Amino acid sequence: MMMWPEPRRFEVDVDAGLMHGSGTRYQKRLQDLNGLYADGAAFDARLASGGQEVVYDVTDFRPSSSAGDLITGVTRMSPGKIGDEFYLTRGHVHAILDRPELYYGLKGKGLMLMESPDGETRIIEVLPNTACYVAPHWIHRSVNVGDEDFVMLFCYPADSGQDYGIIERSQGMKLRIVDDGAGGWRSVENPAYTGRSEADVLALLERGKQVAA
């Protein structure tokens, strides 16, 4: 008899922002996110008062690393700001660049901040019952712009991998998301941002091909 992969069922607790029975969970606390925010003094002041606050919490199911499989999970982001900049995730691009990702809003109000390797930007607002498709090759980062937990379901190819360093190497993403002072948000240019040269972009695409091979 063939040994087929076993189908699974999971319970999504929207209020808690968790997927029960997934098998994998990790958290990022404020102290883990040093260097992500523009206002370093405000970040240091918050750290001095503790720094143990969980900014985001991820539970996911990783059945395999096969190209034909899927990783599925739930991410919960706390509300908050450092200075006038909203809480955000580290962000990444997939190590195999042509792998997409799908997000589905369950609770709260957030954004998917995206950037192409050559510096184009897109921002999609994610609300409950909103699906956000992150196309292949796009760097992406989640931002909670509401006053409650921001919860999303996500799904992506199991062999995708993550490259977090691409954002660090450019001194952050091209845009930052800040409070507009009127109960909303606005995007501002990141003055520290270092764009990628054409050679950098071509090298990135070539590396993606090699990883996939």
Side-chain angles (χ1 to χ4, degrees):
M1 179 179 290
M2 292 287 291
M3 296 297 293
W4 301 105
E6 188 65 27
R8 295 285 299 271
R9 176 179 183 271
F10 303 99
E11 296 289 339
V12 176
D13 184 338
V14 175
D15 289 334
L18 298 172
M19 188 171 81
H20 296 296
S22 61
T24 307
R25 181 178 184 179
Y26 68 88
Q27 297 177 326
K28 289 296 180 184
R29 299 179 184 275
L30 188 63
Q31 63 185 7
D32 301 320
L33 305 178
N34 190 23
L36 267 61
Y37 297 94
D39 192 337
F43 182 85
D44 290 343
R46 184 73 63 83
L47 280 187
S49 65
Q52 293 297 313
E53 178 182 354
V54 176
V55 175
Y56 58 99
D57 193 351
V58 177
T59 45
D60 61 13
F61 176 59
R62 299 170 175 260
S64 77
S65 59
S66 168
D69 219 332
L70 291 173
I71 293 173
T72 305
V74 169
T75 183
R76 182 205 62 79
M77 296 187 66
S78 300
K81 289 179 290 186
I82 298 295
D84 63 355
E85 189 173 7
F86 289 101
Y87 274 2
L88 47 79
T89 62
R90 289 174 64 194
H92 63 272
V93 72
H94 290 149
I96 301 181
L97 286 167
D98 65 359
R99 300 304 194 250
E101 189 158 0
L102 182 70
Y103 291 86
Y104 185 77
L106 298 172
K107 179 183 178 182
K109 180 180 180 180
L111 306 176
M112 192 62 60
L113 176 60
M114 292 173 279
E115 180 183 315
S116 67
D118 59 358
E120 290 190 44
T121 59
R122 301 287 187 274
I123 301 173
I124 291 180
E125 191 170 66
V126 181
L127 302 170
N129 304 315
T130 300
C132 173
Y133 170 63
V134 178
H137 301 92
W138 286 79
I139 303 159
H140 48 288
R141 161 179 280 170
S142 304
V143 185
N144 186 349
V145 295
D147 55 7
E148 64 175 334
D149 283 350
F150 176 42
V151 181
M152 294 184 294
L153 181 78
F154 62 82
C155 189
Y156 60 94
D159 67 336
S160 300
Q162 285 88 23
D163 175 0
Y164 296 100
I166 191 170
I167 296 176
E168 297 173 6
R169 292 189 293 271
S170 291
Q171 309 302 313
M173 293 185 72
K174 191 173 185 178
L175 298 178
R176 293 185 177 276
I177 305 299
V178 300
D179 192 333
D180 68 358
W185 60 273
R186 63 188 178 96
S187 63
V188 296
E189 294 282 337
N190 173 12
Y193 178 76
T194 303
R196 301 168 197 89
S197 68
E198 183 177 352
D200 290 336
V201 173
L202 291 174
L204 188 65
L205 295 174
E206 184 60 32
R207 190 211 68 193
K209 294 177 184 176
Q210 292 172 356
V211 171

Coordinates of all heavy atoms in Angstrom, one line a residue, residues 109-187:
K109 N -6.5 45.6 11.6 CA -6.2 46.5 10.4 C -4.7 46.5 10.2 O -4.0 47.0 11.1 CB -6.8 47.9 10.6 CG -6.6 48.8 9.4 CD -7.2 50.2 9.7 CE -7.0 51.1 8.5 NZ -7.6 52.4 8.8
G110 N -4.3 46.1 9.0 CA -2.9 46.2 8.8 C -2.5 46.4 7.3 O -3.4 46.6 6.5
L111 N -1.3 46.5 7.0 CA -0.8 46.7 5.7 C 0.2 45.6 5.3 O 0.9 45.1 6.2 CB -0.1 48.0 5.6 CG -0.8 49.3 6.0 CD1 0.2 50.5 5.9 CD2 -2.0 49.5 5.2
M112 N 0.3 45.3 4.0 CA 1.4 44.6 3.5 C 2.2 45.6 2.7 O 1.8 46.1 1.7 CB 0.9 43.4 2.6 CG 2.0 42.4 2.2 SD 2.7 41.6 3.7 CE 1.2 40.8 4.4
L113 N 3.4 45.8 3.2 CA 4.4 46.8 2.6 C 5.3 45.9 1.7 O 5.9 45.0 2.2 CB 5.1 47.5 3.6 CG 6.2 48.5 3.2 CD1 5.7 49.6 2.3 CD2 7.0 49.1 4.4
M114 N 5.3 46.3 0.4 CA 6.1 45.4 -0.6 C 7.0 46.3 -1.4 O 6.8 47.5 -1.6 CB 5.1 44.7 -1.5 CG 4.3 43.6 -0.8 SD 3.0 42.9 -1.8 CE 1.7 44.2 -1.7
E115 N 8.1 45.6 -1.8 CA 9.1 46.3 -2.6 C 9.8 45.3 -3.6 O 10.1 44.2 -3.2 CB 10.2 46.9 -1.6 CG 11.4 47.6 -2.3 CD 12.4 48.0 -1.2 OE1 12.0 48.5 -0.2 OE2 13.6 47.8 -1.5
S116 N 9.9 45.8 -4.8 CA 10.5 44.9 -5.8 C 12.0 45.0 -5.7 O 12.5 46.0 -5.1 CB 10.1 45.3 -7.2 OG 10.6 46.6 -7.5
P117 N 12.8 44.1 -6.2 CA 14.3 44.2 -6.1 C 14.8 45.5 -6.6 O 15.9 46.0 -6.2 CB 14.8 43.0 -6.9 CG 13.7 42.0 -6.8 CD 12.4 42.8 -6.8
D118 N 14.2 46.1 -7.7 CA 14.7 47.3 -8.2 C 14.0 48.6 -7.6 O 14.2 49.7 -8.2 CB 14.6 47.3 -9.7 CG 13.2 47.2 -10.2 OD1 12.3 47.0 -9.4 OD2 13.0 47.2 -11.5
G119 N 13.3 48.4 -6.5 CA 12.9 49.6 -5.8 C 11.5 50.1 -6.0 O 11.1 51.1 -5.5
E120 N 10.6 49.4 -6.8 CA 9.2 49.8 -6.9 C 8.5 49.4 -5.6 O 9.0 48.5 -4.9 CB 8.5 49.0 -8.0 CG 9.0 49.5 -9.4 CD 8.1 48.9 -10.5 OE1 6.8 48.9 -10.3 OE2 8.6 48.4 -11.5
T121 N 7.5 50.1 -5.2 CA 6.8 49.9 -4.0 C 5.3 49.7 -4.2 O 4.7 50.3 -5.1 CB 7.0 51.0 -2.9 OG1 6.5 52.3 -3.5 CG2 8.5 51.2 -2.6
R122 N 4.7 48.9 -3.3 CA 3.3 48.7 -3.3 C 2.8 48.5 -1.9 O 3.6 48.0 -1.0 CB 2.8 47.4 -4.1 CG 3.3 47.3 -5.5 CD 2.4 48.3 -6.4 NE 2.8 48.1 -7.8 CZ 3.7 48.6 -8.5 NH1 4.6 49.5 -7.8 NH2 3.9 48.4 -9.8
I123 N 1.6 49.0 -1.6 CA 1.1 48.9 -0.2 C -0.4 48.4 -0.4 O -1.2 49.1 -1.1 CB 1.1 50.2 0.6 CG1 2.5 50.8 0.7 CG2 0.4 50.0 1.9 CD1 2.6 52.1 1.3
I124 N -0.7 47.3 0.3 CA -2.0 46.8 0.2 C -2.6 46.8 1.7 O -1.9 46.2 2.6 CB -2.1 45.4 -0.4 CG1 -1.8 45.4 -1.9 CG2 -3.5 44.7 -0.2 CD1 -1.8 44.1 -2.6
E125 N -3.8 47.4 1.8 CA -4.4 47.4 3.2 C -5.1 46.0 3.4 O -5.8 45.5 2.5 CB -5.4 48.5 3.3 CG -6.0 48.7 4.7 CD -6.8 50.0 4.8 OE1 -7.8 50.0 4.2 OE2 -6.3 50.9 5.5
V126 N -4.9 45.4 4.5 CA -5.4 44.1 4.8 C -6.4 44.2 6.0 O -6.0 44.6 7.1 CB -4.3 43.1 5.1 CG1 -5.0 41.7 5.4 CG2 -3.3 43.0 4.0
L127 N -7.7 43.9 5.7 CA -8.7 44.0 6.7 C -9.3 42.6 6.8 O -9.0 41.7 6.0 CB -9.8 45.0 6.3 CG -9.3 46.4 6.1 CD1 -10.5 47.2 5.5 CD2 -8.9 47.0 7.4
P128 N -10.2 42.3 7.8 CA -10.9 41.0 7.9 C -11.6 40.7 6.5 O -12.2 41.6 5.9 CB -11.9 41.2 9.0 CG -11.3 42.2 9.9 CD -10.6 43.2 9.0
N129 N -11.4 39.4 6.1 CA -12.0 38.9 4.8 C -11.3 39.6 3.6 O -11.9 39.6 2.5 CB -13.5 39.1 4.8 CG -14.2 38.5 6.0 OD1 -13.9 37.3 6.3 ND2 -15.1 39.2 6.6
T130 N -10.1 40.0 3.7 CA -9.3 40.6 2.6 C -8.2 39.6 2.3 O -7.4 39.2 3.2 CB -8.7 41.9 3.0 OG1 -9.8 42.9 3.3 CG2 -7.9 42.5 1.8
A131 N -8.0 39.2 1.1 CA -6.9 38.4 0.6 C -5.9 39.3 0.0 O -6.2 40.1 -0.8 CB -7.4 37.3 -0.3
C132 N -4.6 39.0 0.3 CA -3.5 39.8 -0.3 C -2.6 38.8 -0.9 O -2.0 37.9 -0.3 CB -2.8 40.6 0.8 SG -1.3 41.4 0.2
Y133 N -2.4 38.9 -2.2 CA -1.4 38.1 -3.0 C -0.1 38.8 -3.1 O 0.0 39.9 -3.7 CB -2.0 37.8 -4.4 CG -1.1 37.1 -5.3 CD1 -0.6 35.8 -5.0 CD2 -0.7 37.7 -6.5 CE1 0.3 35.2 -5.9 CE2 0.2 37.1 -7.4 CZ 0.7 35.9 -7.1 OH 1.5 35.2 -8.0
V134 N 0.9 38.2 -2.5 CA 2.3 38.8 -2.7 C 2.9 38.0 -3.9 O 3.2 36.8 -3.8 CB 3.1 38.6 -1.4 CG1 4.5 39.1 -1.6 CG2 2.5 39.3 -0.2
A135 N 3.1 38.7 -4.9 CA 3.6 38.1 -6.2 C 5.1 37.6 -6.0 O 5.8 38.1 -5.1 CB 3.5 39.0 -7.3
P136 N 5.5 36.7 -6.8 CA 6.9 36.3 -6.8 C 7.9 37.5 -6.9 O 7.5 38.5 -7.6 CB 7.1 35.4 -8.0 CG 5.7 34.8 -8.2 CD 4.8 35.9 -7.8
H137 N 9.0 37.4 -6.3 CA 10.1 38.4 -6.3 C 9.9 39.6 -5.4 O 10.8 40.4 -5.3 CB 10.4 38.9 -7.8 CG 10.7 37.8 -8.7 ND1 9.8 37.1 -9.5 CD2 11.9 37.2 -9.1 CE1 10.4 36.2 -10.3 NE2 11.7 36.3 -10.0
W138 N 8.8 39.7 -4.8 CA 8.5 40.9 -4.0 C 9.0 40.7 -2.5 O 8.5 39.8 -1.9 CB 7.1 41.4 -4.0 CG 6.7 42.0 -5.4 CD1 6.5 41.3 -6.5 CD2 6.6 43.4 -5.6 NE1 6.2 42.2 -7.5 CE2 6.3 43.5 -7.0 CE3 6.7 44.5 -4.9 CZ2 6.1 44.7 -7.6 CZ3 6.5 45.8 -5.5 CH2 6.2 45.8 -6.9
I139 N 9.8 41.7 -2.0 CA 10.1 41.8 -0.6 C 8.8 42.2 0.1 O 8.1 43.1 -0.4 CB 11.2 42.8 -0.4 CG1 12.4 42.4 -1.2 CG2 11.5 42.9 1.1 CD1 13.4 43.6 -1.4
H140 N 8.5 41.6 1.3 CA 7.2 42.0 1.9 C 7.4 42.0 3.5 O 8.2 41.3 4.0 CB 6.1 41.1 1.5 CG 6.4 39.6 1.6 ND1 7.2 39.0 0.7 CD2 5.9 38.6 2.4 CE1 7.3 37.7 0.9 NE2 6.5 37.5 2.0
R141 N 6.6 42.9 4.0 CA 6.7 43.2 5.5 C 5.3 43.5 5.9 O 4.6 44.3 5.2 CB 7.6 44.3 5.8 CG 7.5 45.0 7.1 CD 8.5 46.1 7.3 NE 9.8 45.5 7.7 CZ 10.9 46.2 7.8 NH1 10.9 47.5 7.4 NH2 12.0 45.6 8.2
S142 N 4.8 43.0 7.1 CA 3.5 43.3 7.6 C 3.6 44.4 8.6 O 4.6 44.5 9.4 CB 2.9 42.1 8.3 OG 2.9 41.0 7.4
V143 N 2.6 45.3 8.7 CA 2.5 46.4 9.6 C 1.1 46.5 10.2 O 0.1 46.4 9.5 CB 2.8 47.8 8.9 CG1 2.9 48.9 9.9 CG2 4.1 47.7 8.0
N144 N 1.1 46.6 11.5 CA -0.2 46.8 12.2 C -0.5 48.3 12.4 O 0.2 48.9 13.2 CB -0.2 46.1 13.6 CG -1.5 46.1 14.3 OD1 -2.4 46.8 13.9 ND2 -1.6 45.4 15.4
V145 N -1.5 48.8 11.7 CA -1.8 50.2 11.7 C -3.1 50.4 12.5 O -3.6 51.6 12.5 CB -1.9 50.8 10.3 CG1 -0.6 50.8 9.6 CG2 -3.0 50.1 9.5
G146 N -3.6 49.4 13.2 CA -4.8 49.6 14.0 C -4.5 49.7 15.5 O -3.3 49.7 15.9
D147 N -5.6 49.6 16.3 CA -5.4 49.7 17.8 C -5.7 48.4 18.5 O -6.0 48.4 19.7 CB -6.3 50.9 18.3 CG -7.7 50.8 17.9 OD1 -8.1 49.7 17.4 OD2 -8.5 51.7 18.2
E148 N -5.8 47.3 17.7 CA -6.0 46.0 18.2 C -5.1 45.0 17.5 O -4.4 45.4 16.6 CB -7.5 45.6 18.1 CG -7.9 45.4 16.6 CD -9.3 44.9 16.5 OE1 -9.8 44.2 17.4 OE2 -9.9 45.1 15.4
D149 N -5.1 43.8 18.0 CA -4.3 42.7 17.3 C -4.6 42.7 15.8 O -5.8 42.8 15.4 CB -4.5 41.4 18.0 CG -3.8 41.2 19.3 OD1 -3.0 42.1 19.6 OD2 -4.0 40.2 20.0
F150 N -3.6 42.5 15.0 CA -3.8 42.2 13.6 C -3.5 40.8 13.3 O -2.3 40.3 13.6 CB -2.8 43.2 12.8 CG -2.8 43.0 11.3 CD1 -3.9 42.8 10.6 CD2 -1.6 43.0 10.7 CE1 -3.9 42.6 9.2 CE2 -1.5 42.9 9.3 CZ -2.7 42.7 8.6
V151 N -4.4 40.0 12.8 CA -4.3 38.6 12.7 C -4.5 38.2 11.2 O -5.5 38.6 10.6 CB -5.3 37.8 13.5 CG1 -5.1 36.3 13.4 CG2 -5.1 38.2 15.0
M152 N -3.6 37.4 10.6 CA -3.7 36.9 9.3 C -3.4 35.4 9.2 O -2.6 34.9 9.9 CB -2.7 37.6 8.4 CG -3.0 39.1 8.2 SD -1.8 39.8 7.0 CE -0.3 39.6 7.9
L153 N -4.1 34.8 8.2 CA -3.7 33.4 7.8 C -2.8 33.6 6.6 O -3.0 34.5 5.8 CB -5.0 32.7 7.4 CG -4.8 31.2 6.9 CD1 -4.6 30.3 8.1 CD2 -6.0 30.8 6.1
F154 N -1.8 32.7 6.5 CA -0.9 32.8 5.4 C -0.6 31.4 4.8 O -0.7 30.4 5.5 CB 0.4 33.5 5.8 CG 1.2 32.8 6.8 CD1 2.1 31.8 6.5 CD2 1.1 33.2 8.2 CE1 2.8 31.1 7.5 CE2 1.9 32.6 9.2 CZ 2.7 31.5 8.8
C155 N -0.1 31.4 3.6 CA 0.2 30.1 2.9 C 1.2 30.4 1.8 O 1.1 31.4 1.1 CB -1.1 29.6 2.3 SG -0.9 27.9 1.7
Y156 N 2.3 29.6 1.7 CA 3.3 29.7 0.7 C 4.0 28.4 0.4 O 3.9 27.5 1.2 CB 4.3 30.8 1.1 CG 5.1 30.5 2.4 CD1 6.3 29.8 2.3 CD2 4.6 30.9 3.6 CE1 7.1 29.6 3.5 CE2 5.3 30.6 4.8 CZ 6.6 30.0 4.7 OH 7.3 29.7 5.9
P157 N 4.6 28.2 -0.8 CA 5.3 27.0 -1.1 C 6.3 26.6 -0.1 O 7.1 27.4 0.4 CB 5.9 27.3 -2.5 CG 5.0 28.4 -3.1 CD 4.7 29.2 -1.9
A158 N 6.3 25.3 0.2 CA 7.2 24.8 1.3 C 8.7 24.9 1.1 O 9.4 24.9 2.0 CB 6.8 23.3 1.6
D159 N 9.1 25.0 -0.2 CA 10.5 25.1 -0.4 C 11.0 26.6 -0.6 O 12.1 26.8 -0.9 CB 10.9 24.4 -1.7 CG 10.3 25.0 -3.0 OD1 9.3 25.7 -2.9 OD2 10.8 24.7 -4.1
S160 N 10.1 27.6 -0.3 CA 10.4 29.0 -0.6 C 11.7 29.5 0.2 O 12.5 30.1 -0.4 CB 9.2 29.9 -0.2 OG 8.1 29.5 -0.9
G161 N 11.8 29.2 1.4 CA 12.9 29.8 2.2 C 12.7 31.3 2.4 O 11.8 31.9 1.8
Q162 N 13.4 31.9 3.3 CA 13.3 33.3 3.6 C 14.7 34.0 3.6 O 15.7 33.4 4.1 CB 12.7 33.6 4.9 CG 11.2 33.4 4.9 CD 10.8 32.0 5.3 OE1 11.5 31.3 5.9 NE2 9.6 31.6 4.9
D163 N 14.8 35.1 3.0 CA 16.0 35.9 3.0 C 15.7 37.2 3.8 O 15.0 38.1 3.2 CB 16.5 36.2 1.6 CG 17.7 37.2 1.5 OD1 18.2 37.6 2.6 OD2 18.2 37.5 0.4
Y164 N 16.1 37.3 5.0 CA 15.8 38.5 5.8 C 16.9 39.6 5.6 O 16.7 40.7 5.8 CB 15.8 38.1 7.3 CG 14.7 37.2 7.7 CD1 14.9 35.8 7.8 CD2 13.4 37.6 7.8 CE1 13.9 34.9 8.2 CE2 12.3 36.8 8.2 CZ 12.6 35.4 8.3 OH 11.6 34.6 8.6
G165 N 18.1 39.1 5.2 CA 19.2 40.1 5.0 C 19.0 41.1 3.9 O 19.7 42.1 4.0
I166 N 18.2 40.8 3.0 CA 18.0 41.7 1.8 C 17.6 43.1 2.3 O 18.0 44.1 1.8 CB 17.0 41.2 0.8 CG1 17.1 42.0 -0.5 CG2 15.6 41.1 1.4 CD1 16.3 41.4 -1.6
I167 N 16.8 43.2 3.4 CA 16.3 44.4 3.9 C 17.4 45.1 4.7 O 17.7 46.3 4.6 CB 15.1 44.2 4.8 CG1 13.9 43.7 4.0 CG2 14.7 45.5 5.5 CD1 12.6 43.4 4.7
E168 N 18.2 44.3 5.5 CA 19.3 44.9 6.3 C 20.3 45.5 5.3 O 20.9 46.6 5.6 CB 19.9 43.8 7.1 CG 19.0 43.2 8.2 CD 19.6 42.0 8.9 OE1 20.8 41.7 8.6 OE2 18.9 41.4 9.7
R169 N 20.6 44.8 4.2 CA 21.7 45.3 3.3 C 21.3 46.6 2.6 O 22.2 47.3 2.2 CB 21.9 44.2 2.2 CG 22.6 42.9 2.8 CD 23.1 42.0 1.7 NE 22.0 41.4 0.9 CZ 21.4 40.3 1.2 NH1 21.7 39.6 2.4 NH2 20.4 39.8 0.5
S170 N 20.0 46.9 2.6 CA 19.6 48.2 2.0 C 19.2 49.2 3.0 O 18.6 50.2 2.7 CB 18.3 47.9 1.1 OG 18.7 47.2 -0.1
Q171 N 19.6 49.0 4.3 CA 19.3 49.9 5.4 C 17.8 50.1 5.6 O 17.4 51.2 5.8 CB 20.0 51.2 5.1 CG 21.5 51.1 4.8 CD 22.3 50.4 5.9 OE1 22.1 50.7 7.1 NE2 23.1 49.5 5.5
G172 N 17.1 49.0 5.5 CA 15.6 49.1 5.6 C 14.9 49.0 4.3 O 15.5 49.0 3.2
M173 N 13.6 49.1 4.3 CA 12.8 49.2 3.1 C 12.7 50.6 2.7 O 13.0 51.6 3.4 CB 11.4 48.5 3.3 CG 11.5 47.0 3.6 SD 9.9 46.2 3.7 CE 9.3 46.2 1.9
K174 N 12.3 50.8 1.4 CA 12.3 52.1 0.8 C 11.3 53.1 1.5 O 11.5 54.3 1.6 CB 12.0 52.0 -0.6 CG 12.2 53.3 -1.4 CD 12.0 53.0 -2.9 CE 12.3 54.2 -3.8 NZ 12.2 54.0 -5.2
L175 N 10.2 52.5 2.0 CA 9.2 53.3 2.7 C 9.0 52.8 4.1 O 9.2 51.7 4.5 CB 7.8 53.1 2.0 CG 7.7 53.6 0.5 CD1 6.3 53.3 0.0 CD2 8.0 55.1 0.4
R176 N 8.6 53.8 5.0 CA 8.3 53.5 6.4 C 6.8 53.9 6.5 O 6.3 54.8 5.9 CB 9.2 54.2 7.4 CG 10.6 53.7 7.4 CD 11.4 54.4 8.4 NE 12.8 53.9 8.5 CZ 13.2 52.8 9.2 NH1 12.3 52.2 9.9 NH2 14.4 52.4 9.2
I177 N 6.1 53.2 7.5 CA 4.7 53.5 7.7 C 4.6 54.2 9.1 O 4.9 53.6 10.1 CB 3.8 52.2 7.7 CG1 4.1 51.5 6.3 CG2 2.4 52.6 7.9 CD1 3.7 52.3 5.1
V178 N 4.0 55.4 9.1 CA 3.9 56.2 10.3 C 2.5 56.7 10.5 O 1.7 56.8 9.6 CB 4.9 57.4 10.3 CG1 6.4 56.9 10.1 CG2 4.6 58.4 9.1
D179 N 2.3 57.1 11.8 CA 1.0 57.7 12.2 C 0.9 59.1 11.4 O 1.8 59.9 11.4 CB 1.0 57.9 13.7 CG -0.3 58.3 14.3 OD1 -1.1 58.9 13.5 OD2 -0.6 58.0 15.4
D180 N -0.3 59.3 10.8 CA -0.5 60.6 10.1 C -1.0 61.7 11.0 O -1.3 62.8 10.6 CB -1.5 60.4 8.9 CG -2.9 60.1 9.3 OD1 -3.2 59.9 10.6 OD2 -3.8 59.9 8.4
G181 N -1.2 61.4 12.3 CA -1.7 62.4 13.3 C -3.2 62.6 13.3 O -3.7 63.5 14.0
A182 N -3.9 61.9 12.4 CA -5.4 62.0 12.3 C -6.1 60.7 12.4 O -7.2 60.5 11.9 CB -5.7 62.7 11.0
G183 N -5.4 59.8 13.1 CA -6.1 58.5 13.3 C -5.8 57.5 12.1 O -6.4 56.4 12.1
G184 N -4.9 57.8 11.2 CA -4.6 57.0 10.1 C -3.1 56.8 10.0 O -2.4 56.9 10.9
W185 N -2.7 56.4 8.8 CA -1.3 56.2 8.5 C -0.9 56.9 7.2 O -1.7 57.2 6.4 CB -1.0 54.7 8.4 CG -1.8 54.0 7.3 CD1 -3.1 53.5 7.4 CD2 -1.4 53.8 5.9 NE1 -3.5 53.0 6.1 CE2 -2.5 53.2 5.2 CE3 -0.2 54.1 5.2 CZ2 -2.4 52.8 3.9 CZ3 -0.2 53.8 3.9 CH2 -1.2 53.2 3.2
R186 N 0.4 57.0 7.0 CA 0.9 57.5 5.8 C 2.3 56.9 5.6 O 2.9 56.4 6.5 CB 1.0 59.0 5.8 CG 2.0 59.6 6.8 CD 1.9 61.1 6.9 NE 2.7 61.7 7.9 CZ 4.0 62.2 7.6 NH1 4.4 62.2 6.4 NH2 4.7 62.7 8.6
S187 N 2.7 56.8 4.3 CA 4.1 56.3 4.0 C 5.0 57.4 3.9 O 4.7 58.5 3.3 CB 4.0 55.4 2.8 OG 3.7 56.2 1.7

